[in-house]
Amino acid sequence: MFNKIWAIVQKDLYTTFTDRNLVLIMFAVPLAIATIVGVVFGGLGDGDNLTLDRIPVAIVNLDEGYESFGQQANLGADFAALATGGEMTSGTSAVGSDTSTACPLSDAQSSGTSQSSMTDILAATEVATEAEARAGVESGDYDVAIVFPADFSASLSPRINEDEASPPADPVAVSIYANSAQSVDGAIVRSIVEGYVDTIQTGYIALETTINSLIASNPVAAIVGGNNDAANAVIACAFGDTLATIRLDRQSIEVQADDEPAVTGGAFSYILIQIGAAQAMVFGLFAAQFGIISIVEERREGTMQRMMLSPTPRNVIIGGKFTATFFMVVLQMSVLLLALTVIASFGAGTFVWLWGSNILLLVLLILAVAIAICGLSVILASIARTPEQVGTLGSVFNILLGLVAGAFGFPPILPVAYLSLIYWGVNGLEALAIGSTDITLNLLVLFGQGIVFFLLGTWLFSRRVEA
Amino acid sequence: MAAMIEAHGLKKVFTTGDGKRIEAVKGVDLAVQKGEIFSLLGPNGAGKTTTINMISGLIEPTEGDASIGGHSITGEPLRAKALLGVIPQEIALYPKLSARQNLNFFGKMYGLSGADLNRRVDEVLDFIDLRDRQNDRVENFSGGMKRRVNIGVGLLHRPQVVYMDEPTVGIDPQNRRRVLDTVFRLRDEYNMTVLYTTHLMEEAQELSDRVGIIDHGEIIALGTQGELTQQVGEEDRLTIGIDAVQAPQQLLDALQTQIEGVTQAEFLAPTLPEGVDSEELERKGGKIRVLAKRGRKALPRILNLIEEHNVEVNSVEVREPDLEAVFLHLTGRALRD
Ligand SMILES: Nc1ncnc2c1ncn2[C@@H]1O[C@H](COP(=O)(O)OP(=O)(O)O)[C@@H](O)[C@H]1O
Ligand SMILES: [Mg+2]
């Protein structure tokens, strides 16, 4: 039985790879798209690295500080000092290196000798009042304004001797204002603040940050996904470490000879992860579509019937066809993820691995996505009768799945997005990219979807009128 | 001994998309003995392919069952299929694969592998005389060569029973000759049982030990050629081309009543492809078809009678009783109509 399945898989892979058009569509096109993305968003191209000017930031520190066990601290002032390059006032040593999340870019950290500080990213100015800061953002003097509230330090202070029954403190609200034309900057700054708070945070204190967009509508924001938590997490990772050590490693921040700071690997890799994860899903779906087309074509050409004439159970034949499809989907996604890594490496000038350090989970995630996709394609194959129908129906499926999952720049449509394998796949990839290993739910949902789709699809298949 | 191929009460009803029922096969019984070449002869749409598809396990009969070598095709499909080689009507090959790769792949589907598979593929390539082109892609082959590969695939596993569904459609006379010779070789050299379908009387006549004539989903006659032609008696069939587009009814009546031995006389209107003008039609003229015992002898008198009715004769064709005549006799239609 496995010999026959393998024979079908071999034959299908062989025919795919000897079909120049198919190879072009399946591998050259996604690579081209990834490269174009690379060129458009910088990093690749005319030799200049993507240069992000330092982000002009207004800091309003209303923090009144706190005192506990005879130690004084003003965390808001500390942040302002770090950002402006001034002296730290408080003796806070909590800004430790305990947030050692495995970031996509941190692997190469040890090789970097030249490091730079937060001042390389931010051009921060302390401003006295919130109103003044907002006005500055509105007028374009600053891209972003950060307002630390009066109880900022207090709410972050350790609560040791408190009554257990006392209710948790209200979340502390650090307000971040960003001109929506600069929402990427807003997201970066927000991540920095979050990273900062994470680093010093003890206990269960919740933090709430808000980005108030002062001007609406901005295409860049859509592409980068300003509303997307995962996106921000990626930024948080790229910059969070920086805060922990108050340094950025060489791969994230490159100091050019003229001392003009420029960001390469970080933002660029982040964009590639964002766009690439969704692209991997979409092209995985397209690869499956070719698999289904080949089933429909074999039926039309009579080779499917010919297989059925041999003493081979129907399930083995269908199994063989879908195993072949599965291989193609896995291959397609892997090639794309690898290609993006290569492009990120070109952009950074050194090897950059985008998809996290947990290769086992990455492989599992790709397999899970491929299984869900193949399950879906069984359904498609049971409905469609001609290659044209596969194309049309398949595209409708793919666009719907991508649309609800937020793969086209809009935020995901919840809770419908939870039905979309693209959502779970992208979400999982992004989680892995920022070093998280918590993708159990993603794997379960994807494997589960695969099984349900497969059962539903085979049921539909068997109900189909023969020949 | 039980027959190699047996079918009992095979029926197939198709339901089309708009809910119409098509009775493609209406109860076929067959028994083909080991080493026999059996032809299923019938016009297009008679139900030949549907019958083949049912007795090869490709589609499920609405009613009835068939067995191959004693194994029911519905009950023990894998055992039955292992004995069976099917050569489908349409060429069913992978155009992007070479002849050898096609044979290799389908060989594996029949459970062959390794050295055994290689040997069989070599054998088949010799048999279909394509060894020198074995590594060329099938898409670059001529129609006849594709046909040969199509046949070869069905023979790889040395089946005991071979179905060939109109294997000569659309190929040149030379390749057609080759196919017919192949059928004899399968029986004579490999002792295979062959079920052959065709709409061509000559092929059935040349090849078959026995013939089943199928029309509108039913076998309307079955037996050796001798047995079948006896059914029509000694009637010869005369086809007389005339230069008129219509023959007077009195002429047809006169032919049947005045000339001894004539059992049937009818006018066949000229048929031309659509879009041809009526002038062309007139030039072609129609035909009078006459069935007559000892037709050759009656021919002079028939021609005289036609001339008496002021109809000019262009051509005359006389055929002795054959399967075509049997079909005509049973259905009133020509096989090719
Ligand atoms: N899948 C099908 N659905 C509906 N009608 C069919 C189908 N296959 C064959 N038929 C009809 O059944 C009849 C017999 O067809 P077929 O067996 O192909 O005839 P033959 O092979 O003798 O030319 C025809 O009228 C054909 O239109
Ligand atoms: Mg047919």
Side-chain angles (χ1 to χ4, degrees):
Chain A
M1 183 185 109
F2 289 108
N3 287 340
K4 292 186 178 181
I5 290 182
W6 181 234
I8 295 172
V9 172
Q10 266 184 318
K11 185 258 307 167
D12 273 9
L13 294 186
Y14 181 87
T15 35
T16 305
F17 283 106
T18 46
D19 185 336
R20 207 179 313 136
N21 293 336
L22 218 50
V23 171
L24 213 64
I25 294 169
M26 293 190 69
F27 300 106
V29 169
L31 293 192
I33 292 176
T35 311
I36 289 166
V37 167
V39 173
V40 168
F41 288 94
L44 291 178
D46 54 7
D48 272 341
N49 283 326
L50 170 74
T51 303
L52 287 185
D53 286 334
R54 290 195 300 169
I55 303 168
V57 176
I59 297 173
V60 183
N61 183 29
L62 307 175
D63 191 4
E64 288 161 358
Y66 78 97
E67 192 181 331
S68 103
F69 308 111
Q71 261 204 318
Q72 283 194 352
N74 186 319
L75 297 173
D78 283 352
F79 184 92
L82 286 169
T84 55
E87 287 284 303
M88 301 246 291
T89 53
S90 59
T92 315
S93 56
V95 185
S97 52
D98 51 312
T99 52
S100 52
T101 39
C103 280
L105 312 169
S106 54
D107 287 354
Q109 211 159 20
S110 53
S111 65
T113 46
S114 147
Q115 294 181 317
S116 24
S117 69
M118 194 155 84
T119 53
D120 290 333
I121 315 168
L122 306 181
T125 316
E126 274 213 63
V127 172
T129 68
E130 192 169 342
E132 194 184 329
R134 286 184 63 146
V137 172
E138 256 165 311
S139 68
D141 290 346
Y142 309 111
D143 284 356
V144 185
I146 312 170
V147 183
F148 292 102
D151 57 352
F152 182 62
S153 294
S155 61
L156 286 174
S157 66
R159 290 146 199 265
I160 296 167
N161 290 325
E162 296 220 346
D163 189 346
E164 268 184 76
S166 78
D170 287 337
V172 57
V174 179
S175 299
I176 297 173
Y177 297 101
N179 181 319
S180 78
Q182 304 294 345
S183 72
V184 179
D185 290 354
I188 292 172
V189 170
R190 174 178 160 186
S191 319
I192 292 173
V193 175
E194 277 178 354
Y196 178 72
V197 173
D198 279 350
T199 315
I200 53 181
Q201 199 172 35
T202 55
Y204 54 84
I205 299 158
L207 174 89
E208 187 184 70
T209 54
T210 51
I211 296 182
N212 298 324
S213 295
L214 299 179
I215 300 163
S217 87
N218 168 28
V220 176
I223 289 169
V224 180
N227 298 328
N228 189 329
D229 282 346
N232 292 326
V234 174
I235 302 186
C237 186
F239 295 95
D241 261 12
T242 311
L243 277 160
T245 57
I246 320 183
R247 280 161 188 275
L248 286 172
D249 73 83
R250 188 186 170 80
Q251 272 63 50
S252 296
I253 296 282
E254 196 172 87
V255 183
Q256 289 180 341
D258 60 353
D259 262 312
E260 258 297 300
V263 177
T264 57
F268 181 49
S269 298
Y270 151 68
I271 288 166
L272 285 179
I273 289 168
Q274 277 292 290
I275 293 172
Q279 239 202 8
M281 302 303 135
V282 171
F283 275 93
L285 282 162
F286 276 118
Q289 211 163 303
F290 287 122
I292 309 163
I293 286 178
S294 105
I295 291 179
V296 177
E297 263 174 0
E298 284 216 44
R299 218 200 308 261
R300 201 175 52 178
E301 299 285 317
T303 45
M304 175 70 82
Q305 286 83 335
R306 198 150 212 177
M307 285 193 254
M308 303 249 182
L309 287 169
S310 73
T312 309
R314 215 181 151 88
N315 291 342
V316 170
I317 296 167
I318 310 249
K321 289 302 291 181
F322 280 101
T323 310
T325 305
F326 177 77
F327 269 89
M328 290 311 299
V329 172
V330 169
L331 203 65
Q332 171 84 81
M333 287 196 292
S334 306
V335 165
L336 204 67
L337 296 184
L338 277 176
L340 288 160
T341 304
V342 170
I343 290 163
S345 303
F346 269 114
T350 179
F351 178 72
V352 173
W353 173 249
L354 293 179
W355 309 105
S357 55
N358 199 322
I359 301 300
L360 178 69
L361 280 180
L362 180 65
V363 170
L364 273 178
L365 183 67
I366 292 176
L367 294 183
V369 171
I371 282 175
I373 288 179
C374 284
L376 195 63
S377 50
V378 181
I379 294 183
L380 188 51
S382 67
I383 301 172
R385 293 185 165 273
T386 64
E388 293 71 32
Q389 283 180 5
V390 174
T392 317
L393 273 174
S395 303
V396 170
F397 269 33
N398 296 356
I399 289 169
L400 276 179
L401 288 175
L403 205 63
V404 299
F408 302 126
F410 314 104
I413 303 167
L414 296 172
V416 197
Y418 296 138
L419 293 173
S420 168
L421 59 92
I422 293 186
Y423 174 84
W424 293 104
V426 169
N427 182 279
L429 272 178
E430 285 174 354
L432 290 178
I434 62 166
S436 167
T437 53
D438 188 18
I439 59 164
T440 318
L441 184 61
N442 302 60
L443 292 178
L444 283 177
V445 170
L446 289 167
F447 278 121
Q449 276 202 347
I451 290 167
V452 171
F453 289 160
F454 198 82
L455 292 178
L456 185 65
T458 38
W459 180 71
L460 286 171
F461 226 105
S462 65
R463 279 169 41 97
R464 233 182 112 138
V465 200
E466 329 141 303
Chain B
M1 202 196 88
M4 264 325 262
I5 309 167
E6 269 186 70
H8 300 288
L10 277 181
K11 278 188 193 164
K12 185 71 198 181
V13 178
F14 291 110
T15 315
T16 55
D18 47 9
K20 241 177 40 197
R21 276 167 48 96
I22 297 176
E23 279 189 77
V25 175
K26 304 169 183 164
V28 160
D29 295 292
L30 277 181
V32 181
Q33 304 302 324
K34 188 167 174 57
E36 195 176 19
I37 297 176
F38 185 97
S39 290
L40 213 47
L41 173 68
N44 280 329
K48 301 184 296 295
T49 300
T50 307
T51 303
I52 291 273
N53 284 346
M54 284 192 284
I55 62 178
S56 56
L58 204 54
I59 62 176
E60 215 165 298
T62 312
E63 263 177 56
D65 196 6
S67 65
I68 292 144
H71 301 288
S72 157
I73 193 72
T74 53
E76 305 173 276
L78 298 190
R79 276 164 182 262
K81 284 175 181 176
L83 299 177
L84 177 65
V86 182
I87 292 141
Q89 177 170 355
E90 307 290 336
I91 287 166
L93 300 167
Y94 297 103
K96 303 270 176 214
L97 299 188
S98 69
R100 188 173 194 101
Q101 286 167 330
N102 268 288
L103 290 168
N104 252 320
F105 171 70
F106 285 111
K108 287 178 189 167
M109 287 293 111
Y110 278 92
L112 300 171
S113 63
D116 195 29
L117 174 62
N118 267 328
R119 206 175 45 243
R120 299 284 182 94
V121 170
D122 286 339
E123 245 175 57
V124 166
L125 283 168
D126 284 337
F127 187 81
I128 59 177
D129 201 9
L130 275 177
R131 197 161 191 157
D132 50 333
R133 299 290 302 271
Q134 57 173 307
N135 291 323
D136 291 1
R137 283 187 181 201
V138 166
E139 65 184 351
N140 299 326
F141 282 1
S142 71
M145 289 160 77
K146 285 181 191 166
R147 280 272 163 209
R148 273 140 67 192
V149 181
N150 201 42
I151 291 173
V153 167
L155 304 177
L156 270 170
H157 62 295
R158 291 200 193 127
Q160 298 189 26
V161 176
V162 177
Y163 297 165
M164 293 177 121
D165 194 4
E166 307 212 36
T168 56
V169 169
I171 57 175
D172 57 272
Q174 199 185 338
N175 274 301
R176 176 210 201 106
R177 186 69 254 153
R178 246 186 149 109
V179 169
L180 298 181
D181 290 343
T182 303
V183 177
F184 286 124
R185 285 179 65 196
L186 292 180
R187 180 189 61 184
D188 300 339
E189 293 174 29
Y190 298 89
N191 197 25
M192 290 177 182
T193 307
V194 181
L195 176 60
Y196 189 98
T197 80
T198 180
H199 67 277
L200 299 173
M201 188 268 304
E202 303 83 3
E203 287 189 358
Q205 205 148 265
E206 178 184 345
L207 287 173
S208 328
D209 299 315
R210 285 193 306 145
V211 181
I213 297 181
I214 183 169
D215 188 39
H216 294 308
E218 283 175 296
I219 296 207
I220 54 175
L222 194 152
T224 63
Q225 290 179 54
E227 287 164 359
L228 292 177
T229 45
Q230 251 171 24
Q231 291 191 8
V232 278
E234 269 97 80
E235 281 178 349
D236 290 332
R237 185 156 48 100
L238 295 90
T239 310
I240 300 153
I242 57 175
D243 71 349
V245 288
Q246 187 54 268
Q249 188 59 43
Q250 307 105 283
L251 170 58
L252 297 178
D253 292 343
L255 281 169
Q256 283 183 71
T257 52
Q258 296 176 19
I259 295 171
E260 198 192 333
V262 171
T263 56
Q264 195 188 340
E266 64 176 331
F267 178 74
L268 302 177
T271 51
L272 279 178
E274 260 181 71
V276 179
D277 57 28
S278 51
E279 252 174 62
E280 183 78 14
L281 211 65
E282 235 153 88
R283 200 139 32 86
K284 196 182 174 203
K287 280 177 181 154
I288 296 173
R289 191 163 60 197
V290 179
L291 292 181
K293 296 202 174 84
R294 288 177 298 284
R296 273 180 204 286
K297 273 193 168 168
L299 187 58
R301 277 185 293 145
I302 290 171
L303 294 178
N304 273 336
L305 192 63
I306 294 174
E307 244 165 68
E308 278 168 27
H309 283 80
N310 294 323
V311 175
E312 203 162 305
V313 172
N314 289 335
S315 64
V316 176
E317 188 193 303
V318 182
R319 299 187 80 150
E320 324 223 292
D322 58 14
L323 294 173
E324 181 83 43
V326 176
F327 190 82
L328 186 70
H329 176 80
L330 291 170
T331 66
R333 287 176 291 124
L335 257 174
R336 276 171 244 227
D337 285 356

